[in-house]
Amino acid sequence: MILNERETQEGLLVAVCDEDVLGETFEEGDLSLTVTEEFYGGDEADERAIVESLTQAAVANIVGTRAVELAIEEGFVDEANVLEVGPTLHAQLLRMQ
């Protein structure tokens, strides 16, 4: 998986995606999702690093079946709130403080 972290005024912004979705565009009805290098590009990371990053995140955007399933398994995302966009999954996390 690919992990990108940015510090913002609101806290840590985390973008995670499966390697095979980077650079792809997915569509489902009127919904279109482009997984850009600019936003999602970063470093390869293992599951442990992803979980550590999501633990610290104020906001997270997660794309790809593997990445979203990890976020669900670790309790960051409720499966009922996951979007299916074509053949991939997308979830967002917003931690209110």
Side-chain angles (χ1 to χ4, degrees), residues 7-58:
E7 283 294 337
T8 70
Q9 290 180 335
E10 292 78 29
L12 183 64
L13 169 62
V14 174
V16 179
C17 71
D18 291 356
E19 295 158 2
D20 63 338
V21 302
L22 189 61
E24 299 292 326
T25 297
F26 301 95
E27 296 182 351
E28 184 71 35
D30 292 336
L31 181 62
S32 178
L33 172 66
T34 301
V35 187
T36 64
E37 175 74 33
E38 179 180 61
F39 187 79
Y40 288 93
D43 299 319
E44 286 190 35
D46 61 16
E47 290 184 358
R48 181 178 173 180
I50 300 291
V51 169
E52 287 177 14
S53 184
L54 290 175
T55 299
Q56 301 300 317

